[in-house]
Amino acid sequence: MADDRASEPNMRDLMAAVAYVLLHWGWLEEEVRARIEAIEPDRQLSDGSLWVHWREVEPEACQRIRSNIQMLVDVRNCLAHGLCGAQADPRSGSEPHVVCHTGAGRRYFKISDLERAADALHVARNEVRDSRV
């Protein structure tokens, strides 16, 4: 008889969900970079924020995308700068989650939150790519 716990998300699944969010963020930034370079090929992209450059060359599109993904920016920043723990015991009955330090305390992101964030970042990336100049 198969063990039902084998189908429950485990630590590997949780860490994959974190990686998907970060990878989708990287892909979104690559689309933004490509858009900036298509508009201003000679622009030197400094170490500063890519989003600042995009806002300078295409303010309306940047504002539209940023307002749609503001919650995702927060999730990405928490993962990238504050990730400090994880819980993913399939036997616990609770949904696997990660813990992040923030200036206001700790935040918890369940695996389902991370999966939704990765999906939304994928949609945002497509929106940037498909609305070419």
Side-chain angles (χ1 to χ4, degrees), residues 21-29 51 69 72-73 76 121:
V21 170
L22 297 175
L23 186 56
H24 278 287
W25 182 266
W27 286 336
L28 173 60
E29 285 193 343
W51 298 93
I69 66 164
L72 302 172
V73 172
R76 180 269 178 193
L121 286 167

Side-chain angles (χ1 to χ4, degrees), residues 70-91:
Q70 194 55 48
M71 181 272 303
L72 302 172
V73 172
D74 187 45
V75 173
R76 180 269 178 193
N77 288 343
C78 283
L79 294 174
H81 304 292
L83 185 62
C84 65
Q87 157 64 48
D89 182 356
R91 298 166 296 197

Side-chain angles (χ1 to χ4, degrees), residues 23-39:
L23 186 56
H24 278 287
W25 182 266
W27 286 336
L28 173 60
E29 285 193 343
E30 282 302 301
E31 288 299 334
V32 168
R33 182 175 278 102
R35 190 165 181 106
I36 293 167
E37 290 172 355
I39 296 167

Side-chain angles (χ1 to χ4, degrees), residues 90-132:
R91 298 166 296 197
S92 71
S94 63
E95 186 173 3
H97 64 274
V98 294
V99 182
C100 297
H101 279 295
T102 70
R106 290 179 175 232
R107 290 204 47 202
Y108 298 83
F109 297 102
K110 296 183 286 186
I111 193 170
S112 59
D113 300 328
L114 298 170
E115 290 167 343
R116 281 191 298 277
D119 290 345
L121 286 167
H122 175 75
V123 169
R125 174 186 177 209
N126 287 341
E127 187 176 349
V128 171
R129 183 183 59 229
D130 294 343
S131 60
R132 286 280 184 226

Side-chain angles (χ1 to χ4, degrees), residues 5-16 88-90 96 111:
R5 289 179 296 186
S7 63
E8 294 295 317
N10 58 31
M11 186 64 73
R12 187 176 301 232
D13 300 319
L14 180 60
M15 292 300 97
D89 182 356
I111 193 170

